């Protein structure tokens, strides 16, 4: 159905980005990188609640040594929202830099120690005000680095964040605030929870997979059976046969405040289970969403999502509602939790099918509009941003 034309920041220059709407995303990974860069031209108030459950790659080593939440997805979102008109690309490159995956451990440790000095070649071209601030946090990490830490493949940005985490009494919020100010981040980036936790997936065939890196990711085997349910657990099993218990982690109080004051809540494209649904698991999320007085919209993936295995959009809507109702209560209505689905049936390929009747039967509206450029296979950031700003404007007009 066509969506009514409503004035929004794309149609008028009257609202500066500093006063733009608070669009809140339950997200993770890199699927929103392009959209995030588009948003900062129109609002500096978007909120990104990011999953801290990544347990693969270099994050696995860092987390096993320090017992901390995963910070890689948080770092990626901070960099996507950085003001590139102010922050030199050399600074962003430092935060994205990785040590080689191969090589001698001791030699790589010496490389890290060398980077703690302003004389190291890696800082060439980085303005002093940025370099000194980043090196202070790198030194925090090196001072408290566990003996078992293996630097191979480590992200320098992640180590800087880990240093701040350790320096501030194992708290993430201070280092996120520091990086947000340093990088002139035009939005808010927060984890949904602050604990060292992992994901556990129950499959339709009865098997259980523990650890995000075993559920999805480049090193994970293809899931043979659809995911039936996702949960949080405190630890990875030491052995494959070991069982783990579900843990109901509380939502971060600051994240709860941002949900309550959102102008729009979006369940966006991205890895459906480990990025979107994972963010809805902490205790308090469903209740906060139900009480938030704003439009709530789901943007389903186009193309392949290996986590969904042909799941229809209607089935995904059912999972989102069921997950939210685990906290909000079984009597919470779709109008309180998820009001609309944003699709592009002209250009979008929904591998499991749309099932429009199934969506509407759950009390959810379908908004069908251009979201994908001609000939493209992924969402166009500008078109998606425009649609979201139009939806957010409905709150101001008393139409939510």
């Amino acid at each position: 159905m066509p969506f009514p034309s409503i004035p929004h920041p794309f149609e008028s220059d009257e609202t500066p980005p500093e006063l733009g709407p608070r669009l809140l995303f339950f997200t993770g990974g890199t699927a929103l990188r392009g959209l995030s860069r588009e948003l900062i031209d129109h609002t500096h108030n978007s909120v990104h609640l990011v999953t801290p459950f990544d347990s693969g790659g270099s994050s696995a080593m860092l987390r096993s040594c320090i017992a901390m939440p995963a910070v890689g997805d948080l770092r990626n979102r901070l960099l996507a929202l950085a003001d590139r008109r102010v922050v030199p690309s050399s600074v962003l490159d430092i935060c994205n830099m990785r040590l080689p995956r191969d090589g001698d451990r001791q030699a790589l440790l010496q490389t890290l120690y060398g980077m703690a000095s302003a004389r190291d070649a890696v800082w060439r071209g980085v303005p002093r005000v940025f370099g000194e601030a980043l090196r202070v946090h790198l030194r925090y990490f090196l001072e408290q680095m566990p003996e078992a830490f293996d630097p191979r493949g480590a992200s320098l940005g992640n180590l800087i964040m880990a240093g701040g985490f350790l320096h501030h009494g194992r708290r993430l919020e201070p280092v996120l605030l520091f990086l947000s100010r340093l990088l002139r981040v035009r939005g808010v980036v927060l984890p949904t929870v602050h604990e060292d936790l992992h994901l556990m997936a129950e499959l339709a065939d009865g098997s259980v997979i523990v650890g995000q890196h075993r559920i999805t990711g480049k090193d994970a085997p293809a899931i043979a059976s659809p995911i039936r349910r996702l949960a949080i657990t405190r630890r990875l099993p030491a052995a494959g046969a070991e069982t783990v218990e579900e843990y109901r982690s509380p939502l971060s109080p600051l994240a709860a405040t941002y949900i309550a004051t959102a102008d729009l809540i979006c369940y966006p494209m991205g890895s459906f289970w480990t990025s979107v649904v994972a963010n809805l698991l902490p205790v308090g999320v469903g209740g906060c969403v139900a009480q938030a007085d704003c439009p709530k919209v789901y943007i389903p993936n186009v193309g392949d999502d290996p986590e969904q295995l042909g799941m229809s959009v209607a089935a995904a809507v059912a999972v989102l509602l069921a997950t939210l109702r685990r906290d909000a209560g079984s009597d919470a209505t779709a109008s309180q939790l998820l009001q609309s689905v944003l699709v592009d049936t002209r250009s979008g390929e929904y591998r499991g099918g749309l099932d429009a009747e199934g969506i509407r039967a759950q009390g959810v509206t379908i908004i069908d509009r251009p979201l994908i450029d001609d000939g493209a296979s992924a969402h166009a950031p500008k078109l998606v941003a425009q649609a979201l700003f139009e939806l957010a404007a409905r709150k101001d007009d008393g139409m939510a």
Side-chain angles (χ1 to χ4, degrees), residues 91 94-95 123 126 129-139 160 178-179 182-183:
V91 175
I94 282 285
C95 294
W123 300 105
V126 176
V129 66
F130 292 99
E132 288 184 352
L134 294 174
R135 285 192 297 274
V136 164
H137 284 70
L138 177 59
R139 291 187 197 111
I160 289 167
F178 156 76
L179 286 173
L182 182 72
L183 302 177

Side-chain angles (χ1 to χ4, degrees), residues 196-214:
D196 174 29
L197 303 169
H198 295 277
L199 293 177
M200 174 173 62
E202 298 177 4
L203 305 188
D205 63 7
S207 60
V208 175
I209 302 175
V210 182
Q212 181 271 342
H213 66 292
R214 299 190 182 108

Side-chain angles (χ1 to χ4, degrees), residues 89-159:
S89 59
S90 59
V91 175
L92 304 180
D93 291 342
I94 282 285
C95 294
N96 270 325
M97 178 183 175
R98 286 188 180 274
L99 295 177
R101 295 187 181 276
D102 300 317
D104 179 74
R105 177 177 178 271
Q106 290 301 322
L108 291 176
L109 286 175
Q110 289 305 312
T111 298
L112 265 185
Y113 281 111
M115 289 179 181
S117 169
R119 294 188 296 271
D120 193 275
V122 74
W123 300 105
R124 191 173 299 142
V126 176
R128 184 171 61 88
V129 66
F130 292 99
E132 288 184 352
L134 294 174
R135 285 192 297 274
V136 164
H137 284 70
L138 177 59
R139 291 187 197 111
Y140 290 155
F141 175 77
L142 293 174
E143 289 167 2
Q144 303 183 58
M145 182 177 64
E147 291 184 7
F149 176 71
D150 188 337
R152 284 173 282 204
S155 159
L156 192 59
N158 288 3
L159 300 186

